[in-house]
Amino acid sequence: MGIELDFWAVLAQWPLLVKGMAWTLGLTAVSAVLGVALGVACAWARTEGPAALGWLAAAYVELIRNTPFIVQLFFVFFGLPAAGVKLTPELASVIAMVINLGAYAAEIVRAGVEATPRGQFEAAASLALSRAQTFVHVVLPPALRKVWPALTSQIIIVMLGSAVCGQIATEELSYAANLIQSRNFRAFEAFIVATALYLLLSMGVRALLNWLGPRFIFGGGRRG
C-alpha cells in the first residue's frame, strides 16, 4: 500500500511553524545566557569559593545531571504550585532549561578552569589581584576559550531538549508540529518538517555561537 505524502498541508500552516521556531530560539537564547552565567558561578564556587558553597554547587550539579530534564520541567511547572508558586508555561520552561544547562555548564567550565596553568594564578597574585579579579580577568577567558565548543554543543542539546516543553503547552516548535498534525492528521509530514527545522536551527545556532564566542564572549578576535 503506497503512502501519499502531502507536505503542503503542513507548510500551509507556516505561521504556526514560524511562531514555534521563534519560541524555540527565544527559550534557547534566554536559557543560554542565564544558564552559562549560572554555570560559571557554580564553577567558581567549586574551584575558588568557600567550602560550603562548593559543596552546595556540587550537590546541585549531581542532582540535575542525574535526573531527566522532563522530570525537572514537571517539578517546576506542576510541583512548585503546591508550594504556592504559580508559573506560566513559558516561564517554567525557561527556569527548567536554565537550571539544566547551568549544571552541565558548571562542569564544562570547571574543566577549563582546572586546566589553567598555576603560573597564571601566581602572576595574578604578584599583581595584587583579588581572587575574584583573578578568576574573572585572568582565569575565565582562556578557560572559556578551551571549552567553548563543548559549551556550544551543550546549548544545542538544551535547545533540542526544549521540545518536551510542549508537554506543558509552551508553544515551541514541537508543540506547533503536534498542533498541525492534530488538525490535518498528517503526522508523518508534520514531524518530518519539524525534524528538518530543528536541524536548520541547530546548524544556525552553532554557527552563530562559533562566531560570537571569539569576538564577544572571551575576546581575542579572529585567529588566522
Side-chain angles (χ1 to χ4, degrees):
M1 183 175 65
I3 299 177
E4 294 185 4
L5 300 179
D6 184 8
F7 286 99
W8 177 247
V10 175
L11 297 176
Q13 303 290 326
W14 64 266
L16 283 175
L17 295 171
V18 171
K19 182 179 181 180
M21 292 174 66
W23 268 109
T24 295
L25 288 173
L27 292 171
T28 302
V30 175
S31 64
V33 173
L34 299 180
V36 171
L38 178 59
V40 169
C42 290
W44 173 83
R46 297 195 67 182
T47 57
E48 301 294 322
L53 193 59
W55 184 88
L56 287 174
Y60 153 69
V61 168
E62 290 302 314
L63 174 64
I64 299 303
R65 279 162 47 99
N66 290 286
T67 54
F69 173 65
I70 193 169
V71 173
Q72 299 162 17
L73 176 66
F74 283 180
F75 175 80
V76 172
F77 187 67
F78 296 114
L80 291 184
V85 180
K86 296 184 179 180
L87 303 170
T88 64
E90 295 76 19
L91 182 55
S93 298
V94 168
I95 292 174
M97 290 171 67
V98 168
I99 291 173
N100 185 270
L101 177 58
Y104 287 91
E107 289 299 276
I108 293 171
V109 174
R110 184 167 73 96
V113 170
E114 292 181 345
T116 302
R118 299 308 301 178
Q120 294 194 22
F121 290 90
E122 296 169 0
S126 69
L127 295 174
L129 296 180
S130 67
R131 294 179 67 177
Q133 289 174 322
T134 299
F135 183 83
V136 172
H137 299 293
V138 178
V139 177
L140 188 58
L144 287 178
R145 187 176 297 113
K146 290 185 182 78
V147 302
W148 191 249
L151 271 178
T152 297
S153 295
Q154 191 59 47
I155 291 171
I156 298 297
I157 290 172
V158 169
M159 182 187 75
L160 298 177
S162 70
V164 303
C165 295
Q167 298 296 315
I168 61 171
T170 301
E171 298 181 25
E172 42 72 54
L173 182 54
S174 71
Y175 178 91
N178 195 47
L179 181 60
I180 290 171
Q181 70 87 22
S182 70
R183 291 178 175 178
N184 57 25
F185 304 104
R186 291 288 179 176
F188 189 74
E189 295 93 326
F191 289 109
I192 285 181
V193 170
T195 298
L197 293 176
Y198 273 117
L199 178 60
L200 290 175
L201 288 176
S202 297
M203 295 171 62
V205 170
R206 185 180 299 277
L208 178 62
L209 291 174
N210 287 338
W211 180 81
L212 285 176
R215 289 162 177 78
F216 303 106
I217 306 301
F218 44 77
R222 177 180 297 177
R223 296 189 174 194

